[in-house]
C-alpha cells in the first residue's frame, strides 16, 4: 500500500514538473516572439512626412524640412522664402507690386500673376501665408536635382543640391523599409528584390536608405548586396557674371563734394595725390523714397580728371545730407521694383550725359529688413552697368554679424569691386579708441575674403583720426585729417609713443578741456595697412578722404602696385 502511494506521488510530481516546464516554455516562447517577431504594422505616412491636404513634403539633401510645398493645378510649388534660403536667393518677390523678378547677367526677367510656363501652368501662386514658386521654374535657374512624387496621396519632392559621389546597393531579397532600425519598427514601404537604393547611413546591422519610389527608412544590411559608388553629373549651365578689372592696382581717392562749387577743388586735391588713378566724387545723394536725388555732377570735372589720367566713379549715397537722413527709408525705396528701375534708368542717363567711368554705391545705416532689397538693387544696377561698360563698386562695413545682410558674397559675384570701409573701429558717440587698429583692418580683410575673391576686394584706409576728450564722465570726439592731427599734436606738446599691437602712435594730455587721447594715422601706420593690401594681393586701396592728407602720405599709397 505504501509503495503504491509513493509511486503515485512521483507520477504526480513528474506531471506537475512537466506542466511547469511547458508553461515556462510557453512564456519564454511568448517573450521571444514579443521581442523578436517582426512588426507587420504599416506606418502612417502622413504622420511621417507631416503633411495634410494639398501640402507637399520637402526633403532637402535627405532631410525632411519643416516648411511645406503646395500642390495645385497639377504642379508643385515651393515657398519662396525657403527657396531663397536654401536653393536660389536670386528669385526676388515684390510684395507691393506683385512681381517676380530675376536678374541675369545682362537682362532682368519679370513675371506677374498672369505669367505661365510652357505647359500653361502659373509660374507662381500667391496665398495668404506667402508666395509659392513653381518647381519647374526653380529648376530652370538653379543647379539642383529634383524628383517629385505627386501622383499619390502622400505628395513629396526630393531636392538635392550636392554633387558628391554617393553609395548605392541592390536589395538581394524582398523585405521592408522600416521607420527606424529594428524589426519592431513600423513598415514604411516594401523592398522588392533587385531594386536599387541609395545608402545614406550604413550602420552595423541596418542601413538608412532612400528608395527609388521616394521613401527614406531602414533596412537590414543582410538584405543588401552589390554596393557601388555613383557620381551625379550636373547639366546646369550657370550664368556668367563678367566683371571689369583695371589693369593695375586701384588707388582710389574719395572726393567729398557737398556743393557744386566743391568740384573746383579737383585739381588741387588730385595734384597732391601722386599715384592716384581713380577718383570718386560724392555726386548723387538720394533724398526721397520715390528715387529722387540731388546731383552735383559736372562735365568739366570729368574731362579734367580724364586729362589727368583718372577714372571717375560717381558715388550714389544715402547719408550725406540732413534731407536724406531724415526723409529716406531705404527699405521702402529699394523694395519697389518700379522705383529701382526708374532710379537706375536715371543714373544711366547721368553716365551718358557726363561721361564718367563707373558708379560707387554707398548706402549706409541700413536695417536688416532693407538688406534683400538693397542687394536686388545692386544686381539690377550691375546689369545696366555691364551693358554700358561701367564699373560698379560697392562700399561695405568691416564684416560683422549685424551687417551680414549686406550679402558680400552676392556683391562679389555681380559687382566689379567690393570696398571695405576699414575704419570707424571707434566712432563718434562711442568709446574712445583707434579709428583703425592693424588687427581690426586685418580681420576686416580676412573676413571679407571668405566671401569675395581678392581680385575684387579694395581696402579702404582713413586719412583722418579722432581726438577724444573725456570730461566729467562724458566722452566726446572730433575728427581731424592727418595734417590737422599732426598740427594738434605739435601745438599741445604731446609726446607720441608707438603701440605695436595697434600699429599706431598713441598720445594723451590733460588740459582745460579734460583728458584728451589720440591714436594717430600717419605714414608708418598707413604703411602697415598698405603692407596688408600687398600681402593679401587685393585689388587696391581706397582713401577717405582727399584733402585730409599731406602729400607725403601718397608716397606710401603709391607703393601699392
Amino acid at each position: 500500500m505504501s509503495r503504491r502511494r509513493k509511486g503515485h506521488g512521483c507520477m504526480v510530481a513528474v506531471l506537475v514538473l512537466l506542466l511547469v516546464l511547458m508553461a515556462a516554455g510557453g512564456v519564454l516562447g511568448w517573450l521571444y516572439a514579443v521581442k523578436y517577431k517582426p512588426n507587420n504594422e504599416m506606418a502612417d505616412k502622413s504622420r511621417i512626412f507631416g503633411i495634410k491636404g494639398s501640402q507637399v513634403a520637402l526633403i532637402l539633401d535627405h532631410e525632411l524640412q519643416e516648411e511645406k510645398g503646395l500642390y495645385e493645378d497639377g504642379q508643385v510649388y515651393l515657398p519662396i522664402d525657403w527657396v531663397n534660403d536654401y536653393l536660389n536667393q536670386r528669385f526676388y518677390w515684390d510684395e507691393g507690386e506683385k512681381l517676380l523678378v530675376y536678374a541675369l547677367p545682362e537682362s532682368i526677367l519679370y513675371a506677374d500673376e498672369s505669367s505661365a510656363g510652357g505647359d500653361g501652368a502659373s509660374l507662381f501662386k500667391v496665398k495668404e501665408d506667402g508666395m509659392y514658386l513653381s518647381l519647374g521654374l526653380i529648376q530652370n535657374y538653379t543647379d539642383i536635382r529634383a524628383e517629385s512624387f505627386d501622383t499619390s496621396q502622400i505628395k513629396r519632392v526630393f531636392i538635392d543640391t550636392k554633387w558628391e559621389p554617393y553609395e548605392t546597393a541592390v536589395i538581394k531579397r524582398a523585405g521592408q523599409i522600416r521607420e527606424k532600425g529594428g524589426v519592431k519598427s513600423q513598415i514604411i514601404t516594401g523592398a522588392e528584390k533587385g531594386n536599387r537604393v541609395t545608402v545614406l547611413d550604413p550602420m552595423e546591422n541596418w542601413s538608412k536608405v532612400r528608395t527609388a519610389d521616394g521613401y527614406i527608412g531602414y533596412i537590414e544590411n543582410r538584405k543588401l548586396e552589390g554596393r557601388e559608388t555613383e557620381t551625379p553629373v550636373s547639366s546646369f549651365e550657370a550664368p556668367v557674371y563678367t566683371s571689369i578689372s583695371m589693369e593695375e592696382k586701384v588707388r582710389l581717392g574719395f572726393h567729398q563734394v557737398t556743393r557744386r562749387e566743391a568740384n573746383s577743388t579737383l585739381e588741387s586735391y588730385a595734384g597732391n595725390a601722386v599715384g592716384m588713378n581713380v577718383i570718386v566724387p560724392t555726386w548723387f545723394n538720394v533724398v526721397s523714397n520715390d528715387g529722387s536725388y540731388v546731383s552735383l555732377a559736372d562735365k568739366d570735372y570729368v574731362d579734367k580728371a580724364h586729362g589727368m589720367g583718372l577714372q571717375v566713379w560717381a558715388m550714389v549715397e544715402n547719408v550725406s545730407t540732413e534731407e536724406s537722413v531724415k526723409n529716406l527709408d531705404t527699405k521702402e525705396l529699394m523694395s519697389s521694383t518700379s522705383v529701382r528701375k526708374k532710379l537706375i534708368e536715371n543714373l544711366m542717363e547721368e553716365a551718358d550725359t557726363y561721361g564718367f567711368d563707373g558708379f560707387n554705391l554707398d548706402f549706409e545705416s541700413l536695417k536688416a529688413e532693407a538688406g534683400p532689397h538693397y542687394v536686388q538693387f545692386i544686381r539690377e544696377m550691375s546689369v545696366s552697368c555691364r551693358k554700358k561698360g561701367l564699373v560698379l563698386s560697392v562700399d561695405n562695413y568691416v564684416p560683422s554679424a549685424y551687417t551680414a545682410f549686406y550679402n558680400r558674397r552676392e556683391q562679389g559675384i555681380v559687382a566689379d569691386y567690393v570696398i571695405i570701409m576699414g575704419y570707424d573701429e571707434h566712432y563718434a558717440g562711442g568709446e574712445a579708441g583707434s579709428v583703425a587698429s592693424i588687427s581690426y583692418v586685418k580681420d576686416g580683410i580676412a573676413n571679407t575674403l571668405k566671401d569675395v575673391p581678392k581680385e575684387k576686394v579694395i581696402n579702404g584706409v582713413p586719412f583722418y583720426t579722432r581726438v577724444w576728450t573725456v570730461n566729467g564722465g562724458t566722452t566726446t570726439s572730433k575728427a581731424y585729417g592727418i595734417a590737422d592731427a599732426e598740427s594738434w599734436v605739435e601745438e599741445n606738446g604731446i609726446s607720441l609713443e608707438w603701440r605695436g599691437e595697434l600699429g599706431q602712435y598713441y598720445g594723451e594730455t590733460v588740459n582745460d578741456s579734460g583728458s584728451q587721447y589720440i591714436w594717430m594715422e600717419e605714414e608708418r601706420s598707413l604703411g602697415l595697412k598698405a603692407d596688408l593690401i600687398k600681402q593679401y594681393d587685393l585689388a587696391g586701396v581706397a582713401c577717405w578722404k582727399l584733402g585730409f592728407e599731406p602729400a607725403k602720405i601718397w608716397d606710401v599709397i603709391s607703393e601699392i602696385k
Side-chain angles (χ1 to χ4, degrees), residues 251-255 276-281 463 541-546 554:
R251 295 178 295 276
L252 179 155
F254 289 105
H255 183 190
M276 180 173 69
N277 54 16
V278 176
I279 193 164
V280 176
F463 279 176
V541 61
C543 309
W544 180 266
K545 63 179 182 171
L546 296 176
W554 282 94

Side-chain angles (χ1 to χ4, degrees), residues 113-131:
E113 291 185 83
S114 67
S115 302
D119 56 2
S122 297
L123 294 179
F124 61 86
K125 297 283 185 179
V126 181
K127 301 296 180 181
E128 289 184 2
D129 62 345
M131 188 271 232

Side-chain angles (χ1 to χ4, degrees), residues 174-236:
Q176 296 83 33
I177 305 296
R178 297 185 179 273
E179 186 175 355
K180 298 178 181 179
V183 296
K184 308 309 290 185
S185 179
Q186 291 182 324
I187 299 170
I188 297 177
T189 188
E192 296 184 13
K193 180 180 178 181
N195 285 355
R196 185 166 288 277
V197 295
T198 300
V199 180
L200 305 180
D201 185 11
M203 296 174 287
E204 184 177 355
N205 298 313
W206 293 73
S207 285
K208 185 178 182 181
V209 299
R210 170 175 158 184
T211 67
D213 59 347
Y215 293 102
I216 291 178
Y218 293 82
I219 190 170
E220 293 175 278
N221 286 337
R222 62 190 179 89
K223 295 184 178 180
L224 298 177
E225 65 179 0
R227 293 182 182 251
E228 296 180 358
T229 298
E230 296 186 12
T231 302
V233 178
S234 174
S235 60
F236 179 74

